[in-house]
Amino acid sequence: MNNDTAHGARRTEAAFGEVYGTAPAGTWAAPGRVNLIGEHTDYNDGFVMPLALPHTTTAAAAPRTDGVLRLHSGNVKGGIVELRTDALRPAPDGGWAAYPAGVLWAMREAGLPVDGGADLHFDSVVPTGAGLSSSAALEVATALALNDLYGLGLDGQELARLAQRAENAFVGVPCGIMDQTASACCTEGHALLLDTRDLTRRQVPFDLAAAGLRLLVVDTRVQHELGDGAYAERRAGCERAARALGVRALRDVAYDGLRQALESLADEAAVRPLVRHIVTENRRVQEVMARLDAGDPRGIGPLLTAGHASLRDDFAVSCAELDLVVAAANEAGALGARMTGGGFGGSAIVLVEEAEAEAVGKAVTEAFAAAGHAAPRIFTAVPSAGARRLA
């Protein structure tokens, strides 16, 4: 445990004591993530390649025996949210507390013995609304804490599935499995290649510093909200296209068969661009993997930029600020850049030579100022550990 993590654990433990008047039984952390490549492919049974960030949501928790779930956050104004475990119902407008409450609900629905409840206090340094999976970090931290408190013996992928069900069925966001799996299963120094159909995983060494490279995250500070219907609309369009093509999911449309597939959708013009993005994005994941396996991390740069163009033009989930990051960064000498996350705001990633990182960041900041946008937040993505117990 590094010094920052240890300090965060102590701070969360102390805050738990102040809120609940007793010491927690333990402290757990789950990270946010950036997705290197493979966007909107996860709910199409496709391939993704996220990496965990050092930014985490920390949860201090203690079990209860009276069927009460108490939730408190150091990041949200207000007091303790108190709920009955046997009265939990899906709550699309339940605010921040719906995410951890949904996890306990999903566990109960799965027949797991968590009826006794718990006290939980959360602290998070994962930026919210930035496309960095703050909701998944909150869910996975909760799931891991309850797993340990109740001795459930679940592994990371099982916890990720429960966290996804909480977000899908309880909160009402039809997300795929990528974010929760990244938060639960990533390892330090690696990106995670995930097949979202069979959930096979491969930890891919991702040491950009050793290659003289850096991956910048640019938080545009444009808040995105996946529950506003636009995300669900894209997912529904993909599912409609798969039905029209007679396949289980768009993952089953071969890259070499894309033209034929698009021609067969002549009467479904609205979904053709969605199909084109998913099929080509799955191909880009495979090409990024091939370049990393070949020891050519610089070669992934153009693939990132191509992915952004597809998300912008075919999937239509970018925005002016994200497009500006990509354009300004590439003009300043970046190797490649793209939006990351669900879109409609949030963050972009930029692959740069280490020696050019400062100049590229400055160019992006200056471009934002010239356009009248608030200054972006820029930091380096360091491949970090997934969810774990801290104390």
Side-chain angles (χ1 to χ4, degrees), residues 170-214:
F170 197 89
V171 181
V173 176
C175 64
I177 192 67
M178 175 183 67
D179 294 351
Q180 291 82 6
T181 301
S183 187
C185 300
C186 278
T187 61
E188 186 174 359
H190 295 77
L192 178 69
L193 177 63
L194 173 68
D195 181 335
T196 65
R197 170 164 285 174
D198 63 15
L199 299 182
T200 54
R201 307 189 302 272
R202 178 184 169 193
Q203 302 290 346
V204 182
F206 195 65
D207 187 357
L208 293 182
L213 301 173
R214 191 185 297 188

mmCIF file of all heavy atoms in Angstrom, residues 170-214:
data_model
loop_
_atom_site.group_PDB
_atom_site.id
_atom_site.type_symbol
_atom_site.label_atom_id
_atom_site.label_comp_id
_atom_site.label_asym_id
_atom_site.label_seq_id
_atom_site.Cartn_x
_atom_site.Cartn_y
_atom_site.Cartn_z
ATOM 1 N N PHE A 170 -31.298 -1.787 -10.880
ATOM 2 C CA PHE A 170 -31.688 -0.972 -9.726
ATOM 3 C C PHE A 170 -31.592 0.515 -10.042
ATOM 4 O O PHE A 170 -32.526 1.271 -9.796
ATOM 5 C CB PHE A 170 -30.808 -1.313 -8.526
ATOM 6 C CG PHE A 170 -31.376 -0.850 -7.205
ATOM 7 C CD1 PHE A 170 -32.223 -1.667 -6.477
ATOM 8 C CD2 PHE A 170 -31.053 0.396 -6.687
ATOM 9 C CE1 PHE A 170 -32.761 -1.242 -5.253
ATOM 10 C CE2 PHE A 170 -31.569 0.829 -5.476
ATOM 11 C CZ PHE A 170 -32.435 0.010 -4.753
ATOM 12 N N VAL A 171 -30.464 0.938 -10.615
ATOM 13 C CA VAL A 171 -30.275 2.362 -10.943
ATOM 14 C C VAL A 171 -30.936 2.707 -12.265
ATOM 15 O O VAL A 171 -31.416 3.823 -12.458
ATOM 16 C CB VAL A 171 -28.773 2.709 -10.974
ATOM 17 C CG1 VAL A 171 -28.571 4.180 -11.293
ATOM 18 C CG2 VAL A 171 -28.121 2.369 -9.632
ATOM 19 N N GLY A 172 -30.937 1.740 -13.205
ATOM 20 C CA GLY A 172 -31.623 1.977 -14.473
ATOM 21 C C GLY A 172 -30.733 2.410 -15.611
ATOM 22 O O GLY A 172 -31.218 2.963 -16.602
ATOM 23 N N VAL A 173 -29.422 2.170 -15.507
ATOM 24 C CA VAL A 173 -28.491 2.491 -16.602
ATOM 25 C C VAL A 173 -28.106 1.183 -17.290
ATOM 26 O O VAL A 173 -27.536 0.298 -16.658
ATOM 27 C CB VAL A 173 -27.228 3.204 -16.076
ATOM 28 C CG1 VAL A 173 -26.239 3.448 -17.219
ATOM 29 C CG2 VAL A 173 -27.599 4.523 -15.411
ATOM 30 N N PRO A 174 -28.384 1.041 -18.596
ATOM 31 C CA PRO A 174 -28.144 -0.241 -19.283
ATOM 32 C C PRO A 174 -26.694 -0.409 -19.724
ATOM 33 O O PRO A 174 -26.407 -0.681 -20.887
ATOM 34 C CB PRO A 174 -29.093 -0.157 -20.479
ATOM 35 C CG PRO A 174 -29.130 1.303 -20.805
ATOM 36 C CD PRO A 174 -29.071 2.010 -19.469
ATOM 37 N N CYS A 175 -25.756 -0.266 -18.784
ATOM 38 C CA CYS A 175 -24.335 -0.357 -19.109
ATOM 39 C C CYS A 175 -23.928 -1.806 -19.349
ATOM 40 O O CYS A 175 -24.621 -2.738 -18.937
ATOM 41 C CB CYS A 175 -23.487 0.225 -17.978
ATOM 42 S SG CYS A 175 -23.615 -0.678 -16.419
ATOM 43 N N GLY A 176 -22.794 -1.984 -20.024
ATOM 44 C CA GLY A 176 -22.213 -3.297 -20.177
ATOM 45 C C GLY A 176 -21.395 -3.665 -18.952
ATOM 46 O O GLY A 176 -21.454 -3.001 -17.911
ATOM 47 N N ILE A 177 -20.580 -4.703 -19.088
ATOM 48 C CA ILE A 177 -19.838 -5.268 -17.959
ATOM 49 C C ILE A 177 -18.434 -4.694 -17.828
ATOM 50 O O ILE A 177 -17.743 -4.952 -16.845
ATOM 51 C CB ILE A 177 -19.772 -6.811 -18.115
ATOM 52 C CG1 ILE A 177 -19.279 -7.497 -16.825
ATOM 53 C CG2 ILE A 177 -18.890 -7.200 -19.305
ATOM 54 C CD1 ILE A 177 -20.213 -7.393 -15.662
ATOM 55 N N MET A 178 -17.981 -3.874 -18.792
ATOM 56 C CA MET A 178 -16.588 -3.453 -18.800
ATOM 57 C C MET A 178 -16.178 -2.694 -17.543
ATOM 58 O O MET A 178 -15.157 -3.007 -16.924
ATOM 59 C CB MET A 178 -16.283 -2.584 -20.012
ATOM 60 C CG MET A 178 -14.856 -2.020 -19.989
ATOM 61 S SD MET A 178 -14.464 -0.924 -21.356
ATOM 62 C CE MET A 178 -15.524 0.477 -21.030
ATOM 63 N N ASP A 179 -16.920 -1.669 -17.179
ATOM 64 C CA ASP A 179 -16.472 -0.784 -16.105
ATOM 65 C C ASP A 179 -16.310 -1.530 -14.792
ATOM 66 O O ASP A 179 -15.312 -1.371 -14.077
ATOM 67 C CB ASP A 179 -17.460 0.371 -15.927
ATOM 68 C CG ASP A 179 -17.488 1.298 -17.126
ATOM 69 O OD1 ASP A 179 -16.629 1.153 -18.020
ATOM 70 O OD2 ASP A 179 -18.386 2.162 -17.175
ATOM 71 N N GLN A 180 -17.294 -2.350 -14.458
ATOM 72 C CA GLN A 180 -17.234 -3.086 -13.198
ATOM 73 C C GLN A 180 -16.115 -4.130 -13.217
ATOM 74 O O GLN A 180 -15.432 -4.334 -12.212
ATOM 75 C CB GLN A 180 -18.580 -3.756 -12.926
ATOM 76 C CG GLN A 180 -19.714 -2.786 -12.612
ATOM 77 C CD GLN A 180 -20.352 -2.187 -13.850
ATOM 78 O OE1 GLN A 180 -20.030 -2.560 -14.972
ATOM 79 N NE2 GLN A 180 -21.270 -1.251 -13.645
ATOM 80 N N THR A 181 -15.906 -4.774 -14.369
ATOM 81 C CA THR A 181 -14.821 -5.752 -14.460
ATOM 82 C C THR A 181 -13.470 -5.071 -14.344
ATOM 83 O O THR A 181 -12.560 -5.587 -13.672
ATOM 84 C CB THR A 181 -14.908 -6.537 -15.777
ATOM 85 O OG1 THR A 181 -16.173 -7.206 -15.854
ATOM 86 C CG2 THR A 181 -13.797 -7.579 -15.867
ATOM 87 N N ALA A 182 -13.319 -3.931 -14.975
ATOM 88 C CA ALA A 182 -12.049 -3.198 -14.871
ATOM 89 C C ALA A 182 -11.763 -2.828 -13.422
ATOM 90 O O ALA A 182 -10.652 -3.014 -12.922
ATOM 91 C CB ALA A 182 -12.088 -1.947 -15.741
ATOM 92 N N SER A 183 -12.770 -2.307 -12.720
ATOM 93 C CA SER A 183 -12.574 -1.897 -11.339
ATOM 94 C C SER A 183 -12.255 -3.088 -10.444
ATOM 95 O O SER A 183 -11.428 -2.989 -9.532
ATOM 96 C CB SER A 183 -13.827 -1.178 -10.824
ATOM 97 O OG SER A 183 -13.610 -0.629 -9.544
ATOM 98 N N ALA A 184 -12.882 -4.228 -10.719
ATOM 99 C CA ALA A 184 -12.706 -5.397 -9.858
ATOM 100 C C ALA A 184 -11.478 -6.227 -10.210
ATOM 101 O O ALA A 184 -10.892 -6.859 -9.323
ATOM 102 C CB ALA A 184 -13.955 -6.283 -9.937
ATOM 103 N N CYS A 185 -11.060 -6.240 -11.483
ATOM 104 C CA CYS A 185 -10.121 -7.266 -11.938
ATOM 105 C C CYS A 185 -8.823 -6.764 -12.549
ATOM 106 O O CYS A 185 -7.946 -7.588 -12.864
ATOM 107 C CB CYS A 185 -10.817 -8.173 -12.954
ATOM 108 S SG CYS A 185 -12.275 -9.038 -12.322
ATOM 109 N N CYS A 186 -8.659 -5.467 -12.769
ATOM 110 C CA CYS A 186 -7.407 -4.984 -13.345
ATOM 111 C C CYS A 186 -6.241 -5.235 -12.388
ATOM 112 O O CYS A 186 -6.431 -5.347 -11.173
ATOM 113 C CB CYS A 186 -7.499 -3.494 -13.664
ATOM 114 S SG CYS A 186 -8.299 -3.130 -15.244
ATOM 115 N N THR A 187 -5.036 -5.296 -12.944
ATOM 116 C CA THR A 187 -3.837 -5.444 -12.129
ATOM 117 C C THR A 187 -2.858 -4.317 -12.450
ATOM 118 O O THR A 187 -2.861 -3.758 -13.554
ATOM 119 C CB THR A 187 -3.147 -6.800 -12.368
ATOM 120 O OG1 THR A 187 -2.763 -6.898 -13.740
ATOM 121 C CG2 THR A 187 -4.072 -7.946 -12.016
ATOM 122 N N GLU A 188 -2.027 -4.013 -11.491
ATOM 123 C CA GLU A 188 -1.071 -2.922 -11.633
ATOM 124 C C GLU A 188 -0.128 -3.172 -12.810
ATOM 125 O O GLU A 188 0.344 -4.288 -13.019
ATOM 126 C CB GLU A 188 -0.259 -2.777 -10.345
ATOM 127 C CG GLU A 188 0.668 -1.587 -10.308
ATOM 128 C CD GLU A 188 1.335 -1.422 -8.959
ATOM 129 O OE1 GLU A 188 1.045 -2.230 -8.047
ATOM 130 O OE2 GLU A 188 2.148 -0.487 -8.821
ATOM 131 N N GLY A 189 0.132 -2.120 -13.591
ATOM 132 C CA GLY A 189 1.067 -2.222 -14.697
ATOM 133 C C GLY A 189 0.518 -2.887 -15.941
ATOM 134 O O GLY A 189 1.273 -3.170 -16.875
ATOM 135 N N HIS A 190 -0.788 -3.124 -15.981
ATOM 136 C CA HIS A 190 -1.386 -3.843 -17.104
ATOM 137 C C HIS A 190 -2.666 -3.159 -17.585
ATOM 138 O O HIS A 190 -3.369 -2.512 -16.809
ATOM 139 C CB HIS A 190 -1.732 -5.281 -16.710
ATOM 140 C CG HIS A 190 -0.565 -6.133 -16.380
ATOM 141 N ND1 HIS A 190 0.099 -6.042 -15.178
ATOM 142 C CD2 HIS A 190 0.075 -7.103 -17.099
ATOM 143 C CE1 HIS A 190 1.103 -6.921 -15.168
ATOM 144 N NE2 HIS A 190 1.101 -7.573 -16.314
ATOM 145 N N ALA A 191 -2.948 -3.348 -18.863
ATOM 146 C CA ALA A 191 -4.293 -3.135 -19.385
ATOM 147 C C ALA A 191 -4.991 -4.488 -19.383
ATOM 148 O O ALA A 191 -4.341 -5.538 -19.332
ATOM 149 C CB ALA A 191 -4.236 -2.552 -20.793
ATOM 150 N N LEU A 192 -6.310 -4.461 -19.430
ATOM 151 C CA LEU A 192 -7.094 -5.693 -19.344
ATOM 152 C C LEU A 192 -7.813 -5.925 -20.662
ATOM 153 O O LEU A 192 -8.692 -5.144 -21.037
ATOM 154 C CB LEU A 192 -8.116 -5.599 -18.207
ATOM 155 C CG LEU A 192 -9.035 -6.807 -18.025
ATOM 156 C CD1 LEU A 192 -8.252 -8.006 -17.517
ATOM 157 C CD2 LEU A 192 -10.175 -6.470 -17.067
ATOM 158 N N LEU A 193 -7.422 -6.975 -21.378
ATOM 159 C CA LEU A 193 -8.161 -7.364 -22.580
ATOM 160 C C LEU A 193 -9.300 -8.277 -22.131
ATOM 161 O O LEU A 193 -9.069 -9.352 -21.576
ATOM 162 C CB LEU A 193 -7.248 -8.097 -23.559
ATOM 163 C CG LEU A 193 -7.934 -8.622 -24.834
ATOM 164 C CD1 LEU A 193 -8.489 -7.471 -25.662
ATOM 165 C CD2 LEU A 193 -6.969 -9.474 -25.652
ATOM 166 N N LEU A 194 -10.526 -7.849 -22.374
ATOM 167 C CA LEU A 194 -11.708 -8.578 -21.912
ATOM 168 C C LEU A 194 -12.607 -8.908 -23.084
ATOM 169 O O LEU A 194 -12.970 -8.026 -23.870
ATOM 170 C CB LEU A 194 -12.479 -7.736 -20.893
ATOM 171 C CG LEU A 194 -13.835 -8.286 -20.419
ATOM 172 C CD1 LEU A 194 -13.640 -9.543 -19.577
ATOM 173 C CD2 LEU A 194 -14.595 -7.216 -19.630
ATOM 174 N N ASP A 195 -12.945 -10.179 -23.214
ATOM 175 C CA ASP A 195 -13.984 -10.625 -24.136
ATOM 176 C C ASP A 195 -15.286 -10.584 -23.351
ATOM 177 O O ASP A 195 -15.497 -11.387 -22.432
ATOM 178 C CB ASP A 195 -13.680 -12.047 -24.616
ATOM 179 C CG ASP A 195 -14.707 -12.572 -25.610
ATOM 180 O OD1 ASP A 195 -15.857 -12.106 -25.589
ATOM 181 O OD2 ASP A 195 -14.357 -13.481 -26.390
ATOM 182 N N THR A 196 -16.172 -9.650 -23.676
ATOM 183 C CA THR A 196 -17.357 -9.456 -22.850
ATOM 184 C C THR A 196 -18.425 -10.514 -23.088
ATOM 185 O O THR A 196 -19.431 -10.532 -22.380
ATOM 186 C CB THR A 196 -17.961 -8.054 -23.054
ATOM 187 O OG1 THR A 196 -18.446 -7.932 -24.401
ATOM 188 C CG2 THR A 196 -16.932 -6.975 -22.773
ATOM 189 N N ARG A 197 -18.213 -11.399 -24.059
ATOM 190 C CA ARG A 197 -19.171 -12.493 -24.242
ATOM 191 C C ARG A 197 -18.903 -13.616 -23.250
ATOM 192 O O ARG A 197 -19.795 -14.020 -22.507
ATOM 193 C CB ARG A 197 -19.119 -13.031 -25.672
ATOM 194 C CG ARG A 197 -19.914 -14.337 -25.858
ATOM 195 C CD ARG A 197 -20.169 -14.652 -27.300
ATOM 196 N NE ARG A 197 -21.214 -13.780 -27.846
ATOM 197 C CZ ARG A 197 -21.562 -13.761 -29.129
ATOM 198 N NH1 ARG A 197 -20.925 -14.530 -30.000
ATOM 199 N NH2 ARG A 197 -22.530 -12.974 -29.541
ATOM 200 N N ASP A 198 -17.686 -14.130 -23.241
ATOM 201 C CA ASP A 198 -17.398 -15.258 -22.339
ATOM 202 C C ASP A 198 -16.601 -14.836 -21.103
ATOM 203 O O ASP A 198 -16.288 -15.663 -20.247
ATOM 204 C CB ASP A 198 -16.674 -16.373 -23.085
ATOM 205 C CG ASP A 198 -15.308 -15.962 -23.619
ATOM 206 O OD1 ASP A 198 -14.777 -14.913 -23.194
ATOM 207 O OD2 ASP A 198 -14.766 -16.698 -24.471
ATOM 208 N N LEU A 199 -16.280 -13.534 -21.004
ATOM 209 C CA LEU A 199 -15.587 -12.940 -19.865
ATOM 210 C C LEU A 199 -14.175 -13.501 -19.662
ATOM 211 O O LEU A 199 -13.630 -13.416 -18.555
ATOM 212 C CB LEU A 199 -16.413 -13.082 -18.577
ATOM 213 C CG LEU A 199 -17.782 -12.390 -18.617
ATOM 214 C CD1 LEU A 199 -18.502 -12.548 -17.288
ATOM 215 C CD2 LEU A 199 -17.655 -10.919 -18.988
ATOM 216 N N THR A 200 -13.588 -14.050 -20.706
ATOM 217 C CA THR A 200 -12.179 -14.402 -20.611
ATOM 218 C C THR A 200 -11.365 -13.113 -20.566
ATOM 219 O O THR A 200 -11.686 -12.117 -21.219
ATOM 220 C CB THR A 200 -11.729 -15.264 -21.799
ATOM 221 O OG1 THR A 200 -12.062 -14.605 -23.031
ATOM 222 C CG2 THR A 200 -12.398 -16.626 -21.761
ATOM 223 N N ARG A 201 -10.299 -13.158 -19.766
ATOM 224 C CA ARG A 201 -9.496 -11.954 -19.534
ATOM 225 C C ARG A 201 -8.021 -12.248 -19.788
ATOM 226 O O ARG A 201 -7.545 -13.354 -19.531
ATOM 227 C CB ARG A 201 -9.651 -11.462 -18.088
ATOM 228 C CG ARG A 201 -11.069 -11.249 -17.636
ATOM 229 C CD ARG A 201 -11.117 -10.548 -16.278
ATOM 230 N NE ARG A 201 -10.422 -11.253 -15.223
ATOM 231 C CZ ARG A 201 -10.960 -12.180 -14.454
ATOM 232 N NH1 ARG A 201 -12.221 -12.521 -14.634
ATOM 233 N NH2 ARG A 201 -10.259 -12.758 -13.496
ATOM 234 N N ARG A 202 -7.331 -11.247 -20.233
ATOM 235 C CA ARG A 202 -5.887 -11.325 -20.375
ATOM 236 C C ARG A 202 -5.283 -10.040 -19.839
ATOM 237 O O ARG A 202 -5.670 -8.946 -20.246
ATOM 238 C CB ARG A 202 -5.487 -11.518 -21.843
ATOM 239 C CG ARG A 202 -3.971 -11.546 -22.056
ATOM 240 C CD ARG A 202 -3.613 -11.650 -23.527
ATOM 241 N NE ARG A 202 -2.198 -11.410 -23.727
ATOM 242 C CZ ARG A 202 -1.635 -11.198 -24.914
ATOM 243 N NH1 ARG A 202 -2.377 -11.211 -26.005
ATOM 244 N NH2 ARG A 202 -0.345 -10.972 -25.008
ATOM 245 N N GLN A 203 -4.356 -10.167 -18.909
ATOM 246 C CA GLN A 203 -3.640 -9.010 -18.379
ATOM 247 C C GLN A 203 -2.483 -8.694 -19.333
ATOM 248 O O GLN A 203 -1.591 -9.506 -19.532
ATOM 249 C CB GLN A 203 -3.119 -9.301 -16.972
ATOM 250 C CG GLN A 203 -4.195 -9.673 -15.959
ATOM 251 C CD GLN A 203 -5.113 -8.514 -15.578
ATOM 252 O OE1 GLN A 203 -4.819 -7.351 -15.866
ATOM 253 N NE2 GLN A 203 -6.223 -8.834 -14.924
ATOM 254 N N VAL A 204 -2.530 -7.516 -19.931
ATOM 255 C CA VAL A 204 -1.583 -7.135 -20.976
ATOM 256 C C VAL A 204 -0.567 -6.150 -20.404
ATOM 257 O O VAL A 204 -0.948 -5.055 -19.965
ATOM 258 C CB VAL A 204 -2.323 -6.481 -22.160
ATOM 259 C CG1 VAL A 204 -1.333 -6.125 -23.270
ATOM 260 C CG2 VAL A 204 -3.420 -7.400 -22.673
ATOM 261 N N PRO A 205 0.718 -6.492 -20.355
ATOM 262 C CA PRO A 205 1.715 -5.539 -19.853
ATOM 263 C C PRO A 205 1.598 -4.207 -20.590
ATOM 264 O O PRO A 205 1.518 -4.166 -21.819
ATOM 265 C CB PRO A 205 3.043 -6.237 -20.148
ATOM 266 C CG PRO A 205 2.710 -7.693 -20.146
ATOM 267 C CD PRO A 205 1.329 -7.778 -20.750
ATOM 268 N N PHE A 206 1.579 -3.123 -19.816
ATOM 269 C CA PHE A 206 1.348 -1.797 -20.410
ATOM 270 C C PHE A 206 2.224 -0.780 -19.690
ATOM 271 O O PHE A 206 1.762 0.013 -18.883
ATOM 272 C CB PHE A 206 -0.135 -1.438 -20.306
ATOM 273 C CG PHE A 206 -0.549 -0.283 -21.180
ATOM 274 C CD1 PHE A 206 -0.495 -0.383 -22.566
ATOM 275 C CD2 PHE A 206 -1.005 0.898 -20.624
ATOM 276 C CE1 PHE A 206 -0.885 0.680 -23.369
ATOM 277 C CE2 PHE A 206 -1.395 1.964 -21.410
ATOM 278 C CZ PHE A 206 -1.340 1.858 -22.797
ATOM 279 N N ASP A 207 3.520 -0.842 -19.976
ATOM 280 C CA ASP A 207 4.498 0.035 -19.334
ATOM 281 C C ASP A 207 4.943 1.089 -20.336
ATOM 282 O O ASP A 207 5.989 0.964 -20.987
ATOM 283 C CB ASP A 207 5.690 -0.790 -18.835
ATOM 284 C CG ASP A 207 6.667 0.046 -18.000
ATOM 285 O OD1 ASP A 207 6.438 1.272 -17.861
ATOM 286 O OD2 ASP A 207 7.652 -0.526 -17.503
ATOM 287 N N LEU A 208 4.136 2.137 -20.493
ATOM 288 C CA LEU A 208 4.463 3.177 -21.453
ATOM 289 C C LEU A 208 5.714 3.943 -21.055
ATOM 290 O O LEU A 208 6.495 4.368 -21.914
ATOM 291 C CB LEU A 208 3.286 4.144 -21.597
ATOM 292 C CG LEU A 208 2.013 3.578 -22.230
ATOM 293 C CD1 LEU A 208 0.963 4.664 -22.353
ATOM 294 C CD2 LEU A 208 2.296 2.953 -23.585
ATOM 295 N N ALA A 209 5.921 4.126 -19.755
ATOM 296 C CA ALA A 209 7.085 4.889 -19.301
ATOM 297 C C ALA A 209 8.382 4.253 -19.787
ATOM 298 O O ALA A 209 9.327 4.943 -20.170
ATOM 299 C CB ALA A 209 7.077 5.009 -17.782
ATOM 300 N N ALA A 210 8.429 2.926 -19.786
ATOM 301 C CA ALA A 210 9.635 2.231 -20.234
ATOM 302 C C ALA A 210 9.909 2.468 -21.708
ATOM 303 O O ALA A 210 11.047 2.357 -22.164
ATOM 304 C CB ALA A 210 9.506 0.734 -19.964
ATOM 305 N N ALA A 211 8.853 2.796 -22.457
ATOM 306 C CA ALA A 211 8.996 3.074 -23.885
ATOM 307 C C ALA A 211 9.138 4.563 -24.167
ATOM 308 O O ALA A 211 9.155 4.972 -25.333
ATOM 309 C CB ALA A 211 7.791 2.522 -24.638
ATOM 310 N N GLY A 212 9.233 5.372 -23.115
ATOM 311 C CA GLY A 212 9.360 6.815 -23.302
ATOM 312 C C GLY A 212 8.061 7.482 -23.704
ATOM 313 O O GLY A 212 8.068 8.532 -24.337
ATOM 314 N N LEU A 213 6.941 6.878 -23.301
ATOM 315 C CA LEU A 213 5.619 7.373 -23.664
ATOM 316 C C LEU A 213 4.806 7.710 -22.422
ATOM 317 O O LEU A 213 5.134 7.296 -21.316
ATOM 318 C CB LEU A 213 4.860 6.339 -24.490
ATOM 319 C CG LEU A 213 5.490 5.887 -25.803
ATOM 320 C CD1 LEU A 213 4.686 4.746 -26.412
ATOM 321 C CD2 LEU A 213 5.602 7.048 -26.784
ATOM 322 N N ARG A 214 3.731 8.432 -22.643
ATOM 323 C CA ARG A 214 2.807 8.742 -21.557
ATOM 324 C C ARG A 214 1.390 8.774 -22.115
ATOM 325 O O ARG A 214 1.174 9.214 -23.255
ATOM 326 C CB ARG A 214 3.145 10.091 -20.925
ATOM 327 C CG ARG A 214 2.386 10.350 -19.620
ATOM 328 C CD ARG A 214 2.621 11.733 -19.064
ATOM 329 N NE ARG A 214 4.005 12.008 -18.693
ATOM 330 C CZ ARG A 214 4.392 13.106 -18.044
ATOM 331 N NH1 ARG A 214 3.483 14.034 -17.715
ATOM 332 N NH2 ARG A 214 5.656 13.288 -17.746
#
